[in-house]
Amino acid sequence: MVLRLVFLGPPGAGKGTIAQRLCEAHKLLQISTGELLREETGRGTELGNKVKAIMESGQYVEDEIVAELVENKLKELGEEKGFILDGFPRTIKQAGILEGILNKLGLKLNGAFDIEASDETIIERLSGRRSCGKCGKIYHLKNIPPKEEGKCDKCSSVLVQRNDDKPEVIKTRLETYREKTAPLVKYYEEKGLLKVIDANGKVNENIQNVETILGVIE
Ligand code: AP5
């Protein structure tokens, strides 16, 4: 079965880390809306300049903007290749837009994973996060350090700290998540697609838990 998954879950719970590993293992496309938006801000495009301040404040970018980025990626994909939507949808409105896009393309989701972690875990993970400025690979200063300090294992580029990983912005991101995205858990539960993962453990344990569920889906 072609895997077409959605990843929900608070900032810093480990969605991107799990998605990167699963996409490598199952040859899926990772569609991270945060990464797509950061690419735009990094390139200084008109769109990037428009969303930069919103992202750095911990608020959400307009639904239509993010949906267009996702639609373009999904159109490129074809029917054969699976995907993980990492961080999309994030509002009930985005979930409705996604359904419309998938219907148009003749595709169906087969799982929505809610990747959960405690606030304590989240704050510890986000404050030590570093990611590759070029390929986006995610590290943690203590938990998942690169082989060589400050350098990406995969492409040797410099590791950077995200502007939205400051304590005051983390607080706003958590509040925004609870207000706008948490309701999607019920939304996908009602559609029979929800799988909840306790991601407080080690990366390999989290991956194993997701793989066990995927084994049932596949
Ligand atoms: P986005 O980039 O999606 O950020 P986020 O959802 O806040 O999630 P994060 O990337 O911060 O965390 P994660 O769960 O992926 O954790 P990670 O694996 O990195 O979005 C950024 C912004 O873009 C939003 O705030 C918004 O403005 C905008 N945006 C994006 N999508 C949008 C949308 N759909 N609508 C509107 N606006 C949108 O892990 C975190 C750290 O923990 C890392 O250092 C990692 O190495 C470490 N770690 C991971 N797992 C473990 C583990 N098991 N044990 C120890 N350490 C671990």
Side-chain angles (χ1 to χ4, degrees):
M1 176 187 281
V2 181
L3 290 172
R4 300 190 187 99
L5 309 173
V6 159
F7 273 17
L8 311 169
K15 302 180 291 297
T17 301
I18 298 174
Q20 283 184 352
R21 306 248 181 134
L22 285 182
C23 285
E24 271 173 36
H26 294 266
K27 308 220 178 318
L28 307 173
L29 181 74
Q30 182 186 1
I31 305 176
S32 157
T33 43
E35 274 303 307
L36 292 174
L37 291 165
R38 277 187 292 281
E39 277 168 28
E40 297 285 337
T41 59
R43 289 207 308 270
T45 62
E46 193 182 329
L47 171 61
N49 294 335
K50 187 171 168 190
V51 300
K52 190 168 190 287
I54 301 172
M55 292 175 75
E56 287 180 359
S57 71
Q59 305 288 338
Y60 286 171
V61 171
E62 265 172 64
D63 293 324
E64 289 74 11
I65 291 181
V66 192
E68 195 182 332
L69 291 173
V70 170
E71 182 164 13
N72 291 339
K73 283 277 165 200
L74 289 174
K75 275 187 191 155
E76 284 168 17
L77 204 63
E79 286 175 25
E80 297 306 313
K81 192 157 167 77
F83 57 80
I84 297 180
L85 284 168
D86 166 15
F88 181 89
R90 257 184 232 231
T91 61
I92 296 282
K93 187 169 171 195
Q94 288 180 19
I97 299 176
L98 176 63
E99 267 191 53
I101 297 172
L102 293 175
N103 282 342
K104 253 195 309 192
L105 297 173
L107 304 176
K108 249 182 167 330
L109 290 178
N110 36 35
F113 282 83
D114 175 21
I115 313 285
E116 284 293 334
S118 70
D119 283 8
E120 201 188 328
T121 302
I122 286 170
I123 289 160
E124 190 270 334
R125 288 184 182 172
L126 289 182
S127 50
R129 174 165 56 190
R130 296 292 181 272
S131 33
C132 177
K134 195 166 170 212
C135 74
K137 190 167 164 58
I138 306 163
Y139 299 87
H140 187 280
L141 289 180
K142 219 173 69 213
N143 307 339
I144 307 163
K147 291 190 185 100
E148 192 180 335
E149 199 184 320
K151 266 195 175 178
C152 179
D153 295 347
K154 207 166 141 191
C155 71
S156 300
S157 300
V158 177
L159 301 186
V160 292
Q161 182 168 29
R162 274 171 45 176
N163 285 335
D164 59 353
D165 280 348
K166 296 180 193 133
E168 65 281 13
V169 187
I170 293 173
K171 188 167 170 277
T172 309
R173 285 165 65 202
L174 279 167
E175 285 164 4
T176 310
Y177 179 83
R178 288 198 184 106
E179 185 200 334
K180 300 201 166 147
T181 309
L184 283 177
V185 172
K186 187 152 176 271
Y187 177 94
Y188 282 114
E189 189 176 19
E190 285 172 359
K191 293 193 175 292
L193 289 171
L194 186 72
K195 329 276 171 200
V196 182
I197 297 291
D198 175 348
N200 286 291
K202 293 195 166 49
V203 177
N204 287 345
E205 290 165 11
N206 298 339
I207 306 274
Q208 192 48 57
N209 290 338
V210 176
E211 290 284 8
T212 303
I213 295 171
L214 289 181
V216 179
I217 291 178
E218 283 182 315

